[in-house]
Amino acid sequence: MTDTAQHPDRNLALELVRVTEAGALAASRLVGRGDKEAADQAAVDAMRHMVGSVTMDGIVVIGEGEKDEAPMLFNGEEIGNGQPPQVDIAVDPLEGTTLTARGMPSALSVIALSERGSMFDPGPCVYMEKLAGGSDLVDLLDLDQAIGDVVRAVAQRRKIDVGDVTVVVLDRPRHEDGIAEIREAGARVRLISDGDVSAALLAVSDRSPVDLLWGVGGTPEGVISAAAIKCTGGHMVGRLWPRDDEERRAALDAGYDLDRQLTVDDLVASDDCFFSATGVTDGDVLQGVRFHGDYATTESLVMRSRSGTVRRVHARHDRRKLRAMAGVRFG
């Protein structure tokens, strides 16, 4: 890549990990405190402080919402130090605010980045249908097929009994019929209360007991998951899911095709994207923040699609430096 004003020419994920570490460290002080808004705000504040130091000219495509609702990390905000490369950014300072507030597993601080103009903007659509699985299942991932039929096809493809297929699904009333269909096919359902980015990572991993992610979840999480999947392998399809007639009309008026199944390349068009996630609470993908008196430890997943590198970063953060980095206080 020769045009450094347009294209990243270094592994920005190694700089972005400092951003997700900051978000995770700040949010971790509110784990189990029952206040998801405070936990989210702590992560936003810390991440916004740290991301300003990254050498990039970034625009938030997927953020905390519109400017009036989110004073920081809002959609359209320019972040970074303003120097090249020019990039799109998707950020979820705290994926799993309820998980954090309740002290439950699998809360993450997440950021993804790709070349300018390459990230899908979902417009008015807050939710999308999703179906994700490993790279050997690419041709089987079809939202027009009944989920029970997909489950049976996965079992046949992987030469396993259908009873050994596990599908992770958000525990929501809208999924009751699909959950029943999966179980009628003979497969297992793993219900989660929140956190479908980490669930998508489980679904595409060849080291996980999960075979598929299925259901309707957040569109922002879908774009972030697509960036991660482009880095780590696997596949996902998504389709915009308007919540009501007003949102459907707004999407159609804006030119969105609500029948189209979006691939990871539709959601993140760039072949050079970056992903970083740091655990807030312990989960299947990452260990959460641990405090040890004079220091804290974090575990992060750092990936780049162009090089195919996937790193686990275990970091120790000195107590005296944490407040300057992320506003984190001990005790």
Side-chain angles (χ1 to χ4, degrees):
M1 294 183 178
T2 57
D3 184 359
T4 58
Q6 298 296 329
H7 304 294
D9 61 354
R10 66 188 191 282
N11 196 342
L12 281 167
L14 296 178
E15 299 178 48
L16 296 176
V17 71
R18 294 166 52 241
V19 177
T20 56
E21 286 173 349
L25 284 162
S28 68
R29 301 308 293 161
L30 291 155
V31 169
R33 301 288 184 89
D35 191 340
K36 66 179 185 179
E37 287 81 10
D40 187 52
Q41 190 61 58
V44 170
D45 292 344
M47 187 175 274
R48 184 62 181 85
H49 172 75
M50 187 59 65
V51 78
S53 67
V54 178
T55 301
M56 63 180 179
D57 178 4
I59 291 181
V60 177
V61 175
I62 302 290
E64 289 289 282
E66 299 302 322
K67 184 175 182 179
D68 291 342
E69 297 291 333
M72 290 190 293
L73 298 178
F74 56 84
N75 298 347
E77 183 178 4
E78 297 179 4
I79 58 176
N81 67 1
Q83 299 180 25
Q86 296 178 337
V87 294
D88 287 344
I89 294 169
V91 59
D92 195 345
L94 185 56
E95 201 233 356
T97 56
T98 299
L99 299 177
T100 302
R102 294 182 177 179
M104 296 171 67
S106 300
L108 304 174
S109 183
V110 183
I111 192 168
L113 180 154
S114 63
E115 297 171 62
R116 177 68 54 81
S118 63
M119 271 189 188
F120 179 76
D121 183 346
C125 293
V126 176
Y127 289 100
M128 65 166 29
E129 299 176 76
K130 303 172 194 175
L131 183 58
S135 56
D136 60 324
L137 307 178
V138 171
D139 59 315
L140 303 182
L141 302 181
D142 184 352
L143 291 168
D144 289 329
Q145 293 294 317
I147 186 60
D149 291 340
V150 174
V151 164
R152 295 184 190 94
V154 168
Q156 185 175 15
R157 173 66 54 82
R158 290 188 165 171
K159 295 181 172 60
I160 58 176
D161 188 88
V162 69
D164 295 328
V165 175
T166 299
V167 185
V168 62
V169 183
L170 281 169
D171 189 4
R172 301 289 189 271
R174 60 180 176 264
H175 294 146
E176 288 176 358
D177 290 345
I179 289 169
E181 190 175 339
I182 293 167
R183 288 171 172 162
E184 286 169 6
R188 305 171 181 176
V189 175
R190 179 171 178 176
L191 293 173
I192 57 172
S193 63
D194 296 279
D196 61 353
V197 172
S198 60
L201 288 170
L202 284 177
V204 303
S205 172
D206 57 6
R207 301 172 59 187
S208 163
V210 172
D211 297 282
L212 295 170
L213 163 74
W214 172 83
V216 175
T219 306
E221 289 83 359
V223 176
I224 293 171
S225 296
I229 290 170
K230 291 198 78 164
C231 294
T232 194
H235 194 57
M236 182 179 78
V237 290
R239 181 161 54 199
L240 296 176
W241 191 82
R243 292 172 293 177
D244 50 38
D245 290 340
E246 182 180 354
E247 193 169 288
R248 174 178 292 275
R249 175 51 53 194
L252 291 172
D253 289 346
Y256 288 92
D257 182 352
L258 299 180
D259 296 320
R260 180 184 178 189
Q261 293 194 47
L262 302 162
T263 67
V264 291
D265 289 329
D266 294 319
L267 295 170
V268 181
S270 173
D271 290 327
D272 195 10
C273 61
F274 307 82
F275 174 88
S276 177
T278 301
V280 178
T281 58
D282 288 352
D284 294 306
V285 176
L286 289 167
Q287 179 179 288
V289 177
R290 305 280 178 86
F291 287 91
H292 304 274
D294 288 338
Y295 64 95
T297 59
T298 56
E299 184 182 30
S300 303
L301 195 60
V302 183
M303 304 187 285
R304 183 181 190 181
S305 63
R306 192 178 77 177
S307 59
T309 52
V310 178
R311 294 179 171 91
R312 285 190 180 269
V313 178
H314 297 266
R316 173 172 167 155
H317 307 271
D318 186 271
R319 171 177 183 166
R320 294 167 297 179
K321 298 177 182 178
L322 277 175
R323 187 173 182 186
M325 183 186 80
V328 179
R329 297 175 181 268
F330 281 69

